[in-house]
Amino acid sequence: MKNPVFTGAAVAIITPMYEDGSINFDELGRIIEDQIARGTDAIVICGTTGECSTMTDEEQLAAIKFTVETVNHRVPVIAGAGSNDTDHGCALAAKSAACGADALLLVTPYYNKTTQAGLVAHFTAMAEAGGIPVILYNVPSRTGLNITPETALELSRNPLINGIKEASGNISQVAKIAQLCGDELNIYSGNDDQVVPLLSLGGKGVISVVSNVKPELVHNCCKAWFEGDPKTACKLQLEILPLADALFCEVNPIPVKYAMNVLGWEAGSCRLPLVEPSDAHKEKIEQALEAEGLIQE
C-alpha cells in the first residue's frame, strides 16, 4: 500500500506575473499564504494552470524553490516537472526534487507522443531521476495521448510512482484503474466537476483549478466525503459546478487568471499564446464569482 502524497484538495496554483511577463513572487507568496489559511491540502506549482509550458527551466525551478521555502512543510508541495523530451524531463525532475518538492507531477509526452511501452520507459526514467514520489498526469485532451488502465497498472509497480491525476473525463477508465491498481496507485481527479465521482471509486482527492478562487469549498467537499458524509460532499460538488463551468469557459488558465484579478489579486495576464477572455466570457466569470459570494459589493 502506498500512502498518498496528499488527501483532499490540492490547488493547481496560478503563477502571478508583472506587466512585462516576469513572475511576481511577492504576489505568489501572498496567494500561497491565503491558500494555506483557507484550508488547501497541497500546492501544485508549475502545472498547466501555472503556465509552465511558457517558462524557462530557470523560471520553473525558481518558482518551485520559492514555493517550497514559503510553504515550509505546512502542506505538501508538488512540482510540475514533465516534458515530452525524456532527457529534459529527467533533468527537471532531479532539479525539482533538489529544490525540496515533496512530489512530482509528470504529464504524458505531448506532440511527439509515444506508445504505451514508451510511456512506461518515459515515466520510469523520470521517476528514477527525481527519486521522490511521482503523480502521473493523464490529460488526453491536451496531449493527444492516453495512459491506459493496463499501463497505469504496470507503472504502479514502481515504488516511486505514487498516484495519477486523471483528467481524461472518462469515469469508466478511472474505475478500471481503481480495479486494477488498488492501493498501489492513488487516484486524484483532474476535473473539478468530477471530484465526488472519483472519490466514490476510492480516489484520494483532486488537483483543482477552482481552489484558486475558493479553496475552502473544494477542501470541504473532500473533507465531507472522507468524514462519511456523502450527502454534504454531493451538495458541495454541485456548488462547485457553476464555478468550474465558468473557469473552463476558455482554455485554462485564461479564465482563472482573469477571475483572480477580479478578486483583487495581482495575477497579471497570461503569457502568449494565451490572451484575455472574450467580453462575454468575462461577464460569465464575474457572474459565477458573484453568485458564489466572492465579489463583495
Side-chain angles (χ1 to χ4, degrees):
M1 178 177 178
K2 290 176 183 170
N3 292 325
V5 172
F6 72 95
T7 302
V11 60
I13 205 163
I14 65 160
T15 304
M17 294 173 183
Y18 292 110
E19 281 187 25
D20 65 1
S22 61
I23 297 173
N24 184 341
F25 284 103
D26 288 342
E27 194 69 354
L28 178 58
R30 285 189 283 272
I31 294 171
I32 289 168
E33 292 298 340
D34 182 70
Q35 284 287 322
I36 293 173
R38 292 166 67 188
T40 211
D41 297 296
I43 291 174
V44 176
I45 184 72
C46 296
T48 305
T49 313
E51 299 179 76
C52 63
S53 57
T54 55
M55 287 184 182
T56 64
D57 286 1
E58 291 73 23
E59 287 177 316
Q60 195 165 335
L61 293 167
I64 293 165
K65 189 170 188 291
F66 176 86
T67 302
V68 167
E69 290 173 352
T70 303
V71 171
N72 193 24
H73 307 291
R74 288 175 288 174
V75 296
V77 173
I78 300 147
S83 175
N84 65 337
D85 169 6
T86 306
D87 282 348
H88 181 215
C90 286
L92 267 179
K95 290 172 183 175
S96 299
C99 288
D102 296 290
L104 304 171
L105 181 66
L106 302 179
V107 71
T108 52
Y110 38 87
Y111 188 71
N112 51 353
K113 308 198 289 186
T114 187
T115 60
Q116 294 297 306
L119 282 179
V120 174
H122 176 75
F123 285 123
T124 300
M126 289 195 297
E128 289 174 359
I132 60 174
V134 162
I135 299 173
L136 309 170
Y137 182 13
N138 191 36
V139 57
S141 65
R142 284 184 179 269
T143 64
L145 181 63
N146 182 52
I147 302 173
T148 67
E150 293 75 18
T151 299
L153 172 61
E154 188 169 348
L155 286 164
S156 75
R157 296 182 177 124
N158 186 312
L160 288 167
I161 295 177
N162 183 280
I164 185 167
K165 177 186 176 183
E166 244 298 336
S168 67
N170 184 339
I171 298 294
S172 298
Q173 172 165 291
V174 177
K176 186 69 174 176
I177 292 170
Q179 181 206 9
L180 289 176
C181 301
D183 289 335
E184 290 306 302
L185 197 66
N186 299 298
I187 299 172
Y188 299 100
S189 177
N191 300 85
D192 280 291
D193 60 354
Q194 294 182 350
V195 182
V196 170
L198 265 71
L199 294 178
S200 75
L201 292 169
K204 298 300 191 295
V206 58
I207 295 176
S208 168
V209 174
V210 170
S211 285
N212 280 279
V213 299
K214 197 162 187 184
E216 61 273 31
L217 173 60
V218 191
H219 166 83
N220 288 339
C221 176
C222 296
K223 184 170 181 278
W225 178 270
F226 290 122
E227 289 180 348
D229 186 358
K231 189 173 180 181
T232 297
C234 180
K235 176 176 171 289
L236 295 174
Q237 171 70 90
L238 297 180
E239 187 180 334
I240 289 167
L241 289 183
L243 280 175
D245 185 44
L247 295 182
F248 286 91
C249 65
E250 292 188 18
V251 68
N252 179 50
I254 289 172
V256 71
K257 255 196 155 172
Y258 178 76
M260 291 291 277
N261 282 315
V262 168
L263 294 177
W265 298 101
E266 294 175 16
S269 300
C270 294
R271 288 180 175 177
L272 288 170
L274 304 185
V275 295
E276 286 277 295
S278 69
D279 288 343
H281 284 151
K282 285 179 179 179
E283 187 177 346
K284 179 174 183 171
I285 295 161
E286 289 170 24
Q287 286 173 348
L289 295 174
E290 193 168 354
E292 194 55 39
L294 291 166
I295 298 176
Q296 306 302 322
E297 291 299 327

